[in-house]
């Protein structure tokens, strides 16, 4: 099984120009394929295949021959996907590749990449200088891709071992959400919640910072010195927020798979909440919904469950959050707790949705869990005041004055796992 590792590049000015020129050459290959395919469609002739496109693009571009072939393969894969979508979902009116590109990612297969003395050598073809990156790659690394993501990144395909057998035969379902990123319940009455408030706060912070910078930028002349300086500040904020959000998302989905392995889960159902976005609930809520990246959550869970030898599949979760798991009464819930008006049942709203998914995915009735494990993927931000002795003294004095046990809860993150520590405080 292959996974992708992302390495951020900080090239010199000369290397930056070389990387930019390589992506522009790859875009020319893509544009030529688009033109040939368009002419075949307009003339109602046989569409070009792999051999025809490789012959038409051979020896014309300042790229490695196998890099040109990989652009051709990516183009043909896009054409096949578009054809299937046009047949399955005709209302989408999908277009075949038609837009002219200026830049396109450059790819090298595993046999073309060489790693020596802490360097990565990416060939550019016979008679041309290779791209040399001062980067140490793992031994089991393979194909590489040069990608622009507000800065150049090197995506390396790495071989990872697969689990030999499934952890067990237990069934589990995952209810995805914006506030609680993932709520997991099993048919053995076990449940876990991984919160997504940290990711939500990072996105909110990013939107506020971008708004402030954009307001300052609106007073400047476009492409002026100050306008470019503010634009660099916006790009820096976006890159930093994206890295932190991606890190927390990987840690959260890893906690879900670790919980499934501990509970001997063999089949995992992930609900697809796509229908929630179709409702107009006001501009503030619509903005939160548009920033909800549940597609990435599904991809991360599918990839990690495959590595753990857990069968993972997705489907609709319509109606699972509005039905009582005990009596089946339906009503629209309010707040985070689900209170049934018919039988008096009270439970966590997201766990109710996850429990009801067992009927859709596995056609079985599951009892509601009595205890729930609540985890955070990592600390979203650190506070300098929270770790001072004065804060501990204030918490101690406050709890003593209220007649409560003198315990202070601290949460730390170690190797991507959340560890809860409860330390007893000694009163003065």
């Amino acid at each position: 099984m292959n996974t992708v590792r992302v390495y951020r590049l900080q090239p010199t000015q000369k290397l930056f120009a070389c990387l930019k020129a390589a992506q522009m050459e790859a875009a020319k290959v893509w544009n030529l394929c688009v033109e040939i395919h368009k002419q075949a469609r307009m003339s109602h002739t046989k569409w070009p295949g792999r051999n025809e496109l490789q012959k038409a693009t051979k020896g014309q571009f300042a790229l490695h021959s196998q890099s040109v072939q990989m652009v051709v393969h990516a183009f043909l894969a896009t054409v096949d996907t578009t054809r299937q979508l046009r047949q399955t979902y005709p209302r989408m009116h999908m277009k075949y590749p038609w837009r002219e590109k200026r830049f396109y990612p450059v790819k090298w297969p595993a046999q073309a990449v060489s790693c020596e003395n802490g360097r990565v050598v990416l060939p550019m073809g016979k008679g041309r200088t290779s791209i040399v990156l001062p980067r140490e790659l793992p031994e089991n690394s393979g194909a590489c891709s040069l990608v622009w993501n507000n800065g150049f990144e090197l995506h390396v395909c790495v071989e990872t071992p697969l689990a030999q057998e499934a952890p067990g035969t237990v069934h589990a379902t995952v209810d995805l959400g914006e506030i609680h990123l993932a709520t997991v319940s099993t048919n053995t009455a076990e449940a876990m919640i991984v919160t997504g408030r940290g990711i939500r706060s990072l996105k909110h912070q990013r939107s506020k910072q971008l708004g402030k910078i954009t307001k300052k930028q609106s007073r400047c002349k476009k492409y002026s010195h100050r306008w470019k300086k503010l634009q660099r500040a916006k790009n820096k904020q976006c890159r930093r927020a994206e890295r932190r959000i991606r890190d927390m998302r990987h840690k959260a989905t890893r906690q879900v798979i670790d919980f499934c392995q501990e509970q001997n889960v063999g089949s995992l159902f992930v609900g697809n909440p796509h229908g929630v976005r179709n409702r107009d609930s006001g501009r503030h809520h619509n903005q939160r919904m548009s920033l909800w990246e549940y597609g990435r959550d599904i991809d991360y869970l599918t990839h990690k469950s495959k590595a753990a030898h857990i069968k993972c599949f997705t489907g609709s979760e319509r109606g699972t959050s509005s039905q009582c798991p005990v009596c089946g009464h339906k009503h629209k819930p309010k707040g985070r707790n689900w209170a049934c008006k018919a039988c008096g049942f009270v439970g966590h709203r997201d766990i109710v949705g996850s429990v009801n998914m067992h009927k859709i995915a596995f056609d079985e009735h599951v009892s509601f869990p009595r205890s729930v494990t609540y985890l955070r993927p990592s600390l979203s931000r650190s506070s300098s005041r929270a770790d001072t002795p004065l804060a501990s003294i204030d918490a101690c004095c406050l709890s003593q004055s209220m007649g409560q046990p003198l315990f202070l809860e601290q949460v730390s993150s170690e190797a991507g796992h959340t560890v809860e520590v409860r330390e007893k405080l000694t009163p003065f």
Side-chain angles (χ1 to χ4, degrees), residues 153-172:
E153 293 179 349
L154 184 66
H155 293 192
V156 182
C157 189
V158 180
E159 186 74 21
T160 56
L162 289 174
Q164 298 297 328
E165 57 183 9
T169 59
V170 178
H171 297 162

Side-chain angles (χ1 to χ4, degrees), residues 37-45 47:
H37 193 267
K38 182 179 179 180
Q39 291 178 0
R41 296 199 313 267
M42 298 297 293
S43 60
H44 301 284
T45 58
W47 289 4

Side-chain angles (χ1 to χ4, degrees), residues 41-251:
R41 296 199 313 267
M42 298 297 293
S43 60
H44 301 284
T45 58
K46 182 180 179 181
W47 289 4
R50 174 180 173 182
N51 295 331
E52 291 79 6
L53 290 179
Q54 288 184 356
K55 185 177 180 180
T57 56
K58 184 177 180 180
Q60 300 186 28
F61 304 97
L63 287 175
H64 194 266
S65 59
Q66 293 181 342
S67 299
V68 176
Q69 293 176 8
M70 296 191 74
V71 176
V72 172
H73 296 168
F75 175 80
L76 293 176
T78 304
V79 172
D80 293 339
T81 304
T82 306
R83 183 192 295 113
Q84 295 176 5
L85 292 175
R86 287 170 66 93
Q87 295 175 356
T88 309
Y89 305 100
R91 294 184 179 180
M92 296 178 64
H93 302 289
M94 292 291 296
K95 292 183 179 181
Y96 288 104
W98 60 276
R99 191 185 301 273
E100 183 178 352
K101 296 181 180 294
R102 188 181 176 189
F103 301 97
Y104 192 80
V106 188
K107 302 179 181 180
W108 291 268
Q111 59 267 24
V113 181
S114 60
C115 303
E116 50 185 23
N117 299 326
R119 302 184 307 167
V120 182
V121 181
L122 305 175
M124 294 298 294
K126 186 177 181 180
R128 287 182 287 270
T129 305
S130 301
I131 296 176
V132 180
L133 302 176
R135 179 69 62 176
E136 187 75 29
L137 297 183
E139 296 180 357
N140 53 351
S141 60
C144 296
S145 300
L146 181 64
V147 181
W148 174 266
N149 184 18
N150 290 323
F152 282 109
E153 293 179 349
L154 184 66
H155 293 192
V156 182
C157 189
V158 180
E159 186 74 21
T160 56
L162 289 174
Q164 298 297 328
E165 57 183 9
T169 59
V170 178
H171 297 162
T173 57
V174 179
D175 179 49
L176 300 177
E178 188 210 4
I179 297 178
H180 294 142
L181 188 139
T183 304
V184 193
S185 64
T186 64
N187 56 355
T188 57
E190 298 291 339
M192 184 194 69
I193 297 176
V194 181
T195 180
R197 294 183 183 271
I199 296 177
R200 188 182 186 184
S201 64
L202 288 175
K203 292 181 178 179
H204 181 61
Q205 181 187 19
R206 179 184 59 186
S207 300
K208 290 180 65 177
Q209 294 295 333
L210 293 181
K212 292 179 181 179
I213 299 175
T214 303
K215 186 177 180 180
K216 294 180 180 180
Q217 202 175 27
S218 63
R219 305 191 189 106
C220 304
K221 184 179 179 180
K222 196 171 184 180
Y223 302 121
S224 64
H225 179 74
R226 179 166 174 78
W227 186 92
K228 292 180 180 179
K229 184 178 180 180
L230 293 173
Q231 187 65 30
R232 288 194 294 268
K234 290 174 64 175
N235 295 337
K236 184 177 180 180
Q237 288 287 342
C238 290
R239 291 196 299 265
R240 184 170 182 267
E242 181 183 359
R243 291 193 298 268
R244 297 178 69 184
I245 291 172
R246 181 174 58 189
D247 177 69
M248 295 184 69
R249 194 178 301 278
H250 272 293
K251 290 179 179 178

Side-chain angles (χ1 to χ4, degrees), residues 159-383:
E159 186 74 21
T160 56
L162 289 174
Q164 298 297 328
E165 57 183 9
T169 59
V170 178
H171 297 162
T173 57
V174 179
D175 179 49
L176 300 177
E178 188 210 4
I179 297 178
H180 294 142
L181 188 139
T183 304
V184 193
S185 64
T186 64
N187 56 355
T188 57
E190 298 291 339
M192 184 194 69
I193 297 176
V194 181
T195 180
R197 294 183 183 271
I199 296 177
R200 188 182 186 184
S201 64
L202 288 175
K203 292 181 178 179
H204 181 61
Q205 181 187 19
R206 179 184 59 186
S207 300
K208 290 180 65 177
Q209 294 295 333
L210 293 181
K212 292 179 181 179
I213 299 175
T214 303
K215 186 177 180 180
K216 294 180 180 180
Q217 202 175 27
S218 63
R219 305 191 189 106
C220 304
K221 184 179 179 180
K222 196 171 184 180
Y223 302 121
S224 64
H225 179 74
R226 179 166 174 78
W227 186 92
K228 292 180 180 179
K229 184 178 180 180
L230 293 173
Q231 187 65 30
R232 288 194 294 268
K234 290 174 64 175
N235 295 337
K236 184 177 180 180
Q237 288 287 342
C238 290
R239 291 196 299 265
R240 184 170 182 267
E242 181 183 359
R243 291 193 298 268
R244 297 178 69 184
I245 291 172
R246 181 174 58 189
D247 177 69
M248 295 184 69
R249 194 178 301 278
H250 272 293
K251 290 179 179 178
T253 52
R254 170 51 57 191
Q255 287 178 341
V256 173
I257 300 303
D258 289 345
F259 175 80
C260 292
Q261 290 179 322
E262 293 175 1
Q263 301 299 326
N264 300 323
V265 174
S267 299
L268 181 66
F269 174 79
V270 182
N272 191 340
H274 181 68
V276 179
R277 281 189 175 179
N278 298 332
R279 295 181 299 181
D280 186 6
S281 302
R283 64 186 184 93
H284 293 289
H285 187 69
N286 291 343
Q287 182 185 20
R288 289 193 291 266
M289 290 292 100
S290 64
L291 296 176
W292 182 18
E293 302 170 310
Y294 59 86
R296 291 192 177 184
D297 297 333
I298 296 176
D299 292 340
Y300 289 175
L301 289 173
T302 304
H303 182 80
K304 290 178 172 61
S305 61
K306 183 179 179 181
H309 210 284
I310 299 176
K311 181 183 177 182
C312 182
F313 59 102
T314 62
S316 176
E317 59 171 15
R318 184 176 179 85
T320 55
S321 298
S322 59
Q323 183 178 4
C324 178
V326 178
C327 64
H329 174 72
K330 293 185 178 181
H331 80 277
K332 185 177 180 180
K334 293 182 180 180
R336 304 314 306 170
N337 290 329
W338 208 102
C340 182
K341 300 179 181 179
C343 65
F345 166 81
V346 178
H348 195 280
R349 176 179 176 176
D350 294 331
I351 298 179
V352 169
S354 180
V355 168
N356 288 331
M357 287 183 191
H358 285 269
K359 300 179 182 178
I360 299 176
F362 306 106
D363 195 20
E364 59 182 356
H365 180 75
V366 177
S367 58
F368 196 83
R370 293 185 178 181
S371 61
V372 181
T373 304
Y374 192 92
L375 299 178
R376 288 186 290 179
S378 65
L379 294 178
S380 60
R381 63 182 66 179
S382 60
S383 174

